[in-house]
Amino acid sequence: MPDRVYLDNSATTQVARAVVDAMAPYFDVRYGNASSLHSFGQEARHAVEESRESMADSLGVRADEIVFTSGATEADNLAIVGAALARSGGGGHVIASKVEHDAVLRAVEWLQPMGFAVTLADVDGTGRVDPETVRAALRKDTFLVSIMAGNNEIGTLEPIAEIGRICRERGVLFHTDAVQALGKVDLPMDSVDLLAASAHKLHGPKGVGFLYARRGTRLVPLTHGGGHERGLRSGTENVPAIVGFAAALRLALAERDEVTARMWRLRRRIIDRVLRMPGTRLNGHPEDSLPHITNFSFAGIEGESLVMKLDEAGIAASTGSACSSPNLEPSHVLVAIGVPLSMAHGSLRISTGRDTTDADVERLLDVLPRVVGELRAMSPFKVGE
Ligand SMILES: Cc1ncc(COP(=O)(O)O)c(C=O)c1O
């Protein structure tokens, strides 16, 4: 089906052709194990270290501060659980926000029965964490704060530079999940101790991510074995994926101004047109946002039905996080920003990528009013009543 339109780039992206080309030789020509001593191994090791250096360079950090992982879920877990287990006295207090991805929420939750206390900070109606809320929640035994850079469901950017500064003043580690923000907005690496990222959200391959861990940050590894990644993540390096991640980040940064300007233009057009439809609301911040994610609620309909109807019309979008799509509970993010339950069920996330065109967005905007109208006609709830 060549005429399908893909508007679910915050779930995952198409791997860019240049990235596929960069990866290809590491499957069938330079396929060595990066730990082997022979020339095959050395080629693979060289590719891993060159990728690490190129990524560290573009972030303005040191190469030995990058730990490659199987993705951001693992990187978030390594940051949170790894920092908790490294506490010499055991126990202590962690702060995260109510709008974090499950990779963070489930990790902090997992710590609770082990004697750690957790505070989930409230957000305002746009999904923003007030740095003063974090300051007020800090306790004597707080050792970690984890606040995402940009939200994966509604796009809202968090004031991570400010929150990071507050943590630094108080000697508390600051972790940020930068999965959706990497390659789209500047990341204040000076204010961050730990940062998780994933390749497949920026036109790289699935199954590879990294954790940036500032030098001197104490972490206990979660996997034990051959001592790869300076002992922090045992397991044979996924060389093609690491090479692909570095290529994807280089591409994203080289194209960033052009691609994000287009994303902003498309986002403004989508917002303008959708908000003209009756019974709609924008979820998230109109301006202080990632450029590629736009989330709406439609009164009187189910988001899942809307996604399926759009799919029949050849348009792929989402209700919110890909991970929670099969789960019919309203999104925790929409609940946290105070979307009324009736509207939280009718959410639609539209997320653009580097190849999204004006024509793709026009097609969505053509189809959407009809599909919403059909679903509302079948619904027992009437908009405006
Ligand atoms: C904000 C955020 N954090 C973490 C993840 C998990 O990343 P990965 O798929 O690399 O495990 C995602 C992906 O859905 C995400 O959007």
Side-chain angles (χ1 to χ4, degrees):
M1 270 208 284
D3 60 342
R4 286 185 303 173
V5 169
Y6 187 76
L7 293 172
D8 197 14
N9 287 274
S10 34
T12 199
T13 54
Q14 181 182 41
V15 181
R17 178 46 53 188
V19 172
V20 173
D21 291 345
M23 293 172 71
Y26 294 93
F27 287 105
D28 60 351
V29 182
R30 294 179 222 143
Y31 51 83
N33 181 324
S35 301
S36 299
L37 287 179
H38 46 63
S39 62
F40 288 83
Q42 285 168 26
E43 279 167 4
R45 171 58 52 204
H46 181 72
V48 168
E49 296 316 322
E50 208 176 49
S51 301
R52 198 190 309 275
E53 266 160 38
S54 134
M55 300 180 81
D57 234 34
S58 51
L59 290 172
V61 301
R62 301 173 207 251
D64 65 3
E65 295 174 313
I66 302 276
V67 181
F68 288 117
T69 63
S70 64
T73 300
E74 186 188 338
D76 280 329
N77 274 266
L78 178 57
I80 293 165
V81 179
L85 298 182
R87 299 262 301 158
S88 45
H93 177 233
V94 183
I95 301 172
S97 83
K98 288 191 174 162
V99 296
E100 297 302 308
H101 189 273
D102 279 348
V104 167
L105 288 177
R106 299 287 90 82
V108 296
E109 205 172 82
W110 187 83
L111 290 175
Q112 283 176 305
M114 302 178 64
F116 293 92
V118 175
T119 299
L120 294 182
D122 283 323
V123 295
D124 69 14
T126 68
R128 191 173 176 277
V129 180
D130 182 343
E132 291 311 315
T133 307
V134 174
R135 191 196 298 276
L138 287 169
R139 308 190 331 196
K140 269 211 181 84
D141 62 344
T142 308
F143 63 93
L144 178 72
V145 171
S146 179
I147 306 287
M148 69 202 321
N151 190 275
N152 52 299
E153 291 190 38
I154 58 174
T156 301
L157 289 171
E158 299 296 349
I160 56 168
E162 250 172 292
I163 295 172
R165 268 196 300 276
I166 293 171
C167 293
R168 185 73 48 84
E169 274 165 34
R170 299 283 291 265
V172 172
L173 287 176
F174 179 54
H175 168 58
T176 190
D177 175 329
V179 169
Q180 299 289 346
L182 179 68
K184 306 270 185 348
V185 295
D186 285 331
L187 293 170
M189 298 307 293
D190 287 352
S191 315
V192 164
D193 300 302
L194 296 153
L195 178 144
S198 184
H200 73 106
K201 311 288 184 175
L202 62 152
H203 303 277
K206 295 171 187 60
V208 65
F210 70 74
L211 177 67
Y212 158 77
R214 178 178 297 284
R215 248 191 204 184
T217 307
R218 291 181 51 230
L219 294 176
V220 166
L222 308 183
T223 50
H224 306 278
H228 306 75
E229 298 296 293
R230 291 180 299 112
L232 279 171
R233 202 272 179 178
S234 285
T236 302
E237 292 92 342
N238 185 347
V239 181
I242 289 170
V243 168
F245 196 175
L249 183 59
R250 273 196 299 274
L251 183 67
L253 296 176
E255 298 179 338
R256 191 176 104 169
D257 291 351
E258 181 207 327
V259 168
T260 57
R262 181 164 60 243
M263 286 170 162
W264 267 112
R265 188 164 52 71
L266 296 175
R267 178 177 148 89
R268 292 202 173 104
R269 181 165 353 143
I270 294 168
I271 293 175
D272 175 55
R273 294 269 292 277
V274 172
L275 290 186
R276 282 195 231 159
M277 295 166 58
T280 55
R281 63 166 271 163
L282 174 72
N283 298 318
H285 199 289
E287 293 297 327
D288 218 356
S289 177
L290 291 165
H292 63 301
I293 300 178
T294 313
N295 188 309
F296 297 99
S297 282
F298 296 86
I301 59 178
E302 294 286 343
E304 287 73 18
S305 313
L306 181 53
V307 166
M308 279 154 71
K309 281 266 191 195
L310 286 173
D311 191 41
E312 282 168 20
I315 297 167
S318 156
T319 56
S321 156
C323 317
S324 62
S325 288
N327 169 348
L328 292 183
E329 292 289 301
S331 139
H332 67 280
V333 175
L334 299 186
V335 171
I337 66 171
V339 178
L341 278 189
S342 57
M343 284 201 101
H345 280 289
S347 65
L348 181 72
R349 179 184 67 181
I350 297 155
S351 50
T352 55
R354 70 190 278 271
D355 301 311
T356 307
T357 62
D358 289 77
D360 294 338
V361 164
E362 272 317 306
R363 175 135 161 230
L364 168 80
L365 294 172
D366 265 2
V367 168
L368 195 58
R370 171 177 63 78
V371 167
V372 168
E374 282 170 15
L375 288 170
R376 280 190 181 147
M378 296 188 305
S379 161
F381 306 102
K382 292 286 166 268
V383 173
E385 278 178 9

